Amino acid sequence: RQAQIGVTGLAVMGSNLARNFARHGHTVAVHNRTAAKTRALVEEFGHEGDFVPAESAREFVAALERPRRLVIMVKAGAATDAVIDEFAELLEPGDMIMDGGNAHFEDTRRREAALKERGLHFVGCGISGGEEGALNGPSIMPGGSAESYRALGPLLESISAKVDGEPCCAHIGPDGAGHFVKMVHNGIEYADMQLIAEAYDLLRKVAGYEPAQIADIFRKWNTGRLDSYLIEITAEVLAHTDADTGGPFVDIVADRAEQKGTGRWTVQTALDLGVPVSGIAEAVFARSVSGHAELRAAAADLPGPERPELHPDDAARFTEHVEQALYASKIVAYAQGWHLIQTGGEQYGWDIDRASVAAIWRGGCIIRARFLDEIRAAYRGGQAPVTLLTDPTFGEALRAAQNAWRHVVARATELGVPAPGFSAALAYYDTLRAGRLPAALVQGQRDYFGAHTYQRTDKDGSYHTLWGGDRSERKE
Ligand code: 2AM
């Protein structure tokens, strides 16, 4: 019997994806470099659906109906290239190779171009939702040709998360578009997590609440506009008690946040494309600084302000302000992410539907949230806003939140509690709304020391002032 789809690379993500296909009634060929894993998968989960185990690459390819749909789930980087090379030899024109790993979109572009020469479709596909999502319904972001989506899309849509009956899977655009959008998803995820962590820190250090109380605050927030997977799990983590010490779990975890690199890629790409993603950058740097034990130890005795205890009424009011600041900062982080998607789409000619990206992130992925309905609405039909900040719904939320937002950032600063995410988000907001920026002065400095020239507000052309001479102005 012939399989509709094949999965090679049967670590947890690959196994779960294969099981998800099988549970949805698809016949799935399964293969792994080490064949013992293939046998183990079929032994343990064979009853869940129709698996065709293959011991060799050749057997695996022969098991697939044509055009072949082959999913690679191995480590990003050299392993992915090795597996692509191995299978490209065995495939025929029209066959499809989908890479469901976390590849860099530039690698995906390179691989797609190389395989196209051989008549093969290469689909770089972002998959979000972790191991649990891969099994029960992830958010899926496939790139590659429209033709490959016609063949692969229905299978992918069938295994994706669903929201209001809509699959959390859509064709993002050609070549690297899917992995690009997945990368931005992760960058936004870093920012969202950092903002939530700052809200916790302020509620603890300024308002004086204990982790269990803050868990309750987050649970309450999760019934409102902040309703999201990340807020939900944050409440769970904060409510958790360490079995060894009997104290809050959050107090015994080493405070060094690690990273696998997709947040860094997002910021590097944004720098290359000239897109200000300051909220995401601060989140990446916040993880980085947390890991610099030597810097933190050296600076531990630097002076800070006194922190007075808050009256319970003031703590309750401050909590409301933190909710406003968190929501406003979150809007900024997502606005920056969508700006990056827009610019990447223009730079690489992808024509990405930004409403559809919001739609497929409503379920399955780590940043899934009610909030994404609003972003979808902002980009759906009519004129897309230049920035999410000026969309009527978000603009109104920012207008209502801005005083509380400023108050929270000011209190954090006065009391010496670092809030880089909240602060960067507010600075971005104020930068965009400022009529004049001191960038004018920077242009003057550049012209002074480097004769870099400047433009004037009142007439066209480039100008240079003879700073070392009589300071007269020349049109260049
Ligand atoms: P393995 O079980 O034989 O190690 C995660 O590492 C998955 O990627 C595993 O299924 C692993 O196979 C597979 N993998 C890693 N490097 C590989 C390579 N160079 N070729 C084939 N499979 C590889």
Side-chain angles (χ1 to χ4, degrees), residues 293-304:
E294 75 300 346
L295 273 178
R296 295 176 58 190
D301 292 329
L302 290 176

Side-chain angles (χ1 to χ4, degrees), residues 149-172:
Y149 192 78
R150 277 194 288 278
L152 262 170
L155 283 137
L156 296 175
E157 288 177 16
S158 74
I159 66 158
S160 74
K162 310 285 184 301
V163 174
D164 304 332
E166 291 178 68
C168 293
C169 171
H171 184 223
I172 304 293

Side-chain angles (χ1 to χ4, degrees), residues 8-12 14-15 31-38 72-76 78-84 86-87:
T8 181
L10 300 176
V12 184
S15 297
H31 170 262
N32 192 63
R33 176 178 60 184
T34 313
K37 266 192 204 160
T38 312
I72 297 179
M73 295 297 294
V74 303
K75 262 212 282 300
T80 302
D81 278 316
V83 175
I84 290 171
E86 183 182 5
F87 283 102

Side-chain angles (χ1 to χ4, degrees), residues 163-195:
V163 174
D164 304 332
E166 291 178 68
C168 293
C169 171
H171 184 223
I172 304 293
D175 60 80
H179 275 138
F180 184 93
V181 161
K182 171 63 175 21
M183 174 189 78
V184 178
H185 166 282
N186 286 26
I188 292 173
E189 175 187 311
Y190 274 55
D192 208 336
M193 291 169 71
Q194 173 65 22
L195 293 171

Side-chain angles (χ1 to χ4, degrees), residues 3 47 57 68 93 103 107 173 193 196 208 211 232 250 284 301 320 325 369 380 389 391 408 463:
H47 61 277
R68 299 180 181 88
D107 285 332
M193 291 169 71
I196 294 170
E232 176 193 328
V250 73
V284 176
D301 292 329
E320 283 167 27
R380 224 176 179 185
L389 304 194
D391 164 74
V408 168
Y463 296 87

Side-chain angles (χ1 to χ4, degrees), residues 200 204 208-215 234-255:
Y200 150 75
R204 189 140 192 213
Y209 292 123
E210 291 303 317
Q213 294 173 298
I214 301 172
T234 300
E236 293 293 314
V237 173
L238 286 174
H240 184 55
T241 300
D242 174 50
D244 275 4
T245 60
F249 165 82
V250 73
D251 287 348
I252 55 99
V253 178
D255 59 348

